[in-house]
Amino acid sequence: MTAGSGESTDAERRQWCHDALDGTSRTFAITVDVLDEPMATQICVSYLLCRVADTVEDAGHIPSDVQVDLLETYDRALDPDDTTGIEAFAEAVEPWLPADPDADWTVVARAPRVVRAFEDLDPSAREAARDPIRELVSGMAMFVERYADTEGIRIETVDELEEYCWYVAGTIGTLITNLLARDASPERTRQLRENDRSFALLLQLVNVAKDVTDDYREENNVYLPATWLREHGVEPDGVCDPENTSAVASVIRRVADHASGYVDGARTYLEATPETRGNTLAAWTVPYLLAVGTLRELDERAEDVVRDGGVKISRAEVLAIVDRFSDGVDRAAIERLRTQIAAAPFHQHAKRQQSN
């Protein structure tokens, strides 16, 4: 896993990772912004290691067999017992880097720097994060290989969708739990481990439902279960066809409804979250409530996913939710906030409270 001596100090590598995160994931950037140290950097750097694999997996311009080789090389580079260094991955991926790399591909190109930042973390953080990261990488390689003949992922059933969501998000849930459980009581640790899957799958299934168009047009992937699509007379390659808007919207609502089944477990996860080592309850409550708000929007206007390329809650609502937790969060308030946001945009609640 050695990343070489590097050209920067620990502090410079750490700052680079935080800057890079701002360009790769709005949700995780919001989360990290309301974490304190050392948890903020531990989550940031661990997530960027996952993002490297995610970017390679989504790369439509890389042949499937090459994607698998790259992911397997990356996994070996993350194995402390393997002699493969991260430079081997960097060298192998270099020919596939876009001429004008975006934020995601910049992180891939600078994978040695991210690995070096990971090695700067304290040993307990590295131990907590490494296995889930490697499970994510190997799971992505497995799915790319599974669908090598289609040159894009085509999920067949809801069970396969959950399997995929586990590898790309459930593993990150385990990573977070491993970091949090280092100081948690046995009872809290049990609650965290029993519910981290619900927390992670809620967020990922919401992403699947809202990003159908981008996933197909930009990555040639269809995560809506083909069995559900065919019940409405739609083949996976027809998810973006205008004549299928109503039928695809019905499947999107069905995926969103499936995601809703994880809301209660995700709330239990939040309620068990310890606030130690720089962790804050607000950091995980914000993405949870953003997911709840997105489920509301998907229920009301799933057709817009096909017609307009996606569904998002408004920037005003995002800012209102983030602002609500600027001074922390009361665990007892989580369920009330969930109910409010499920019913109407949160900034509307905030305005009404200000006027009363």
Side-chain angles (χ1 to χ4, degrees):
M1 189 173 176
T2 301
S5 60
E7 73 287 356
S8 55
T9 66
D10 293 1
E12 289 170 338
R13 284 189 292 270
R14 184 166 58 247
Q15 186 58 54
W16 186 91
C17 288
H18 282 276
D19 292 342
L21 182 64
D22 287 337
T24 60
S25 173
R26 182 182 70 162
T27 299
F28 255 85
I30 290 172
T31 295
V32 170
D33 281 346
V34 290
L35 288 169
D36 296 321
E37 293 296 350
M39 189 66 69
T41 294
Q42 292 170 0
I43 293 293
C44 173
V45 173
S46 297
Y47 177 78
L48 287 181
L49 287 178
C50 296
R51 194 75 178 196
V52 169
D54 186 58
T55 302
V56 172
E57 184 224 16
D58 289 339
H61 69 287
I62 303 179
S64 298
D65 58 337
V66 177
Q67 285 177 295
V68 172
D69 286 343
L70 288 171
L71 290 167
E72 290 179 346
T73 300
Y74 185 56
D75 179 51
R76 291 195 299 273
L78 297 177
D79 182 355
D81 297 323
D82 196 292
T83 58
T84 302
I86 191 61
E87 292 84 0
F89 168 77
E91 181 178 350
V93 80
E94 196 276 335
W96 303 100
L97 298 176
D100 184 20
D102 61 11
D104 284 324
W105 281 104
T106 298
V107 171
V108 174
R110 300 291 184 268
R113 183 179 296 181
V114 183
V115 167
R116 188 69 183 92
F118 183 76
E119 292 172 345
D120 292 339
L121 303 179
D122 74 68
S124 70
R126 296 199 304 270
E127 183 178 357
R130 183 181 289 110
D131 285 349
I133 293 170
R134 294 190 60 211
E135 184 177 4
L136 176 147
V137 176
S138 62
M140 288 184 174
M142 180 185 69
F143 266 88
V144 171
E145 189 169 28
R146 181 181 298 178
Y147 286 98
D149 293 339
T150 65
E151 297 185 352
I153 292 173
R154 298 292 185 271
I155 296 296
E156 282 293 320
T157 67
V158 68
D159 287 341
E160 188 182 24
L161 174 59
E162 290 218 342
E163 180 190 17
Y164 178 79
C165 288
W166 167 258
Y167 282 115
V168 302
T171 51
I172 296 179
T174 300
L175 184 159
I176 294 166
T177 294
N178 287 354
L179 289 170
L180 299 182
R182 288 176 294 169
D183 296 319
S185 68
E187 176 58 22
R188 280 201 174 187
T189 297
R190 181 188 65 79
Q191 289 181 309
L192 289 170
R193 297 206 181 280
E194 287 180 355
N195 293 284
D196 58 7
R197 181 176 183 274
S198 292
F199 180 76
L201 263 61
L202 167 65
L203 302 188
Q204 186 60 30
L205 286 167
V206 168
N207 287 339
V208 166
K210 73 180 181 65
D211 293 336
V212 170
T213 302
D214 285 348
D215 288 337
Y216 181 67
R217 291 179 176 167
E218 297 180 8
E219 301 164 5
N220 193 28
N221 293 329
V222 180
Y223 301 111
L224 297 181
T227 52
W228 289 1
L229 287 168
R230 291 180 182 127
E231 288 176 15
H232 293 271
V234 178
E235 288 298 318
D237 285 332
V239 292
C240 292
D241 293 348
E243 63 268 26
N244 294 331
T245 296
S246 179
V248 173
S250 295
V251 178
I252 289 170
R253 287 191 176 92
R254 190 171 178 181
V255 171
D257 183 65
H258 188 71
S260 296
Y262 291 113
V263 167
D264 288 342
R267 189 192 70 243
T268 301
Y269 182 80
L270 293 173
E271 291 169 347
T273 300
E275 296 190 274
T276 56
R277 298 193 192 225
N279 185 53
T280 65
L281 182 58
W284 310 109
T285 304
V286 168
Y288 167 76
L289 293 177
L290 293 178
V292 170
T294 305
L295 287 174
R296 180 199 67 232
E297 296 298 307
L298 287 166
D299 182 62
E300 294 176 358
R301 51 191 185 96
E303 289 80 4
D304 289 352
V305 174
V306 182
R307 285 195 295 250
D308 301 333
V311 164
K312 295 180 180 179
I313 65 175
S314 71
R315 179 169 176 78
E317 183 170 13
V318 173
L319 293 174
I321 291 173
V322 172
D323 183 66
R324 168 63 179 78
F325 300 115
S326 59
D327 295 321
V329 58
D330 180 0
R331 293 174 195 271
I334 295 175
E335 176 57 18
R336 174 175 53 79
L337 292 168
R338 183 203 66 80
T339 301
Q340 289 178 343
I341 292 170
F346 186 67
H347 59 288
Q348 295 179 6
H349 294 290
K351 286 182 178 178
R352 284 197 295 269
Q353 290 176 351
Q354 290 172 359
S355 62
N356 290 337

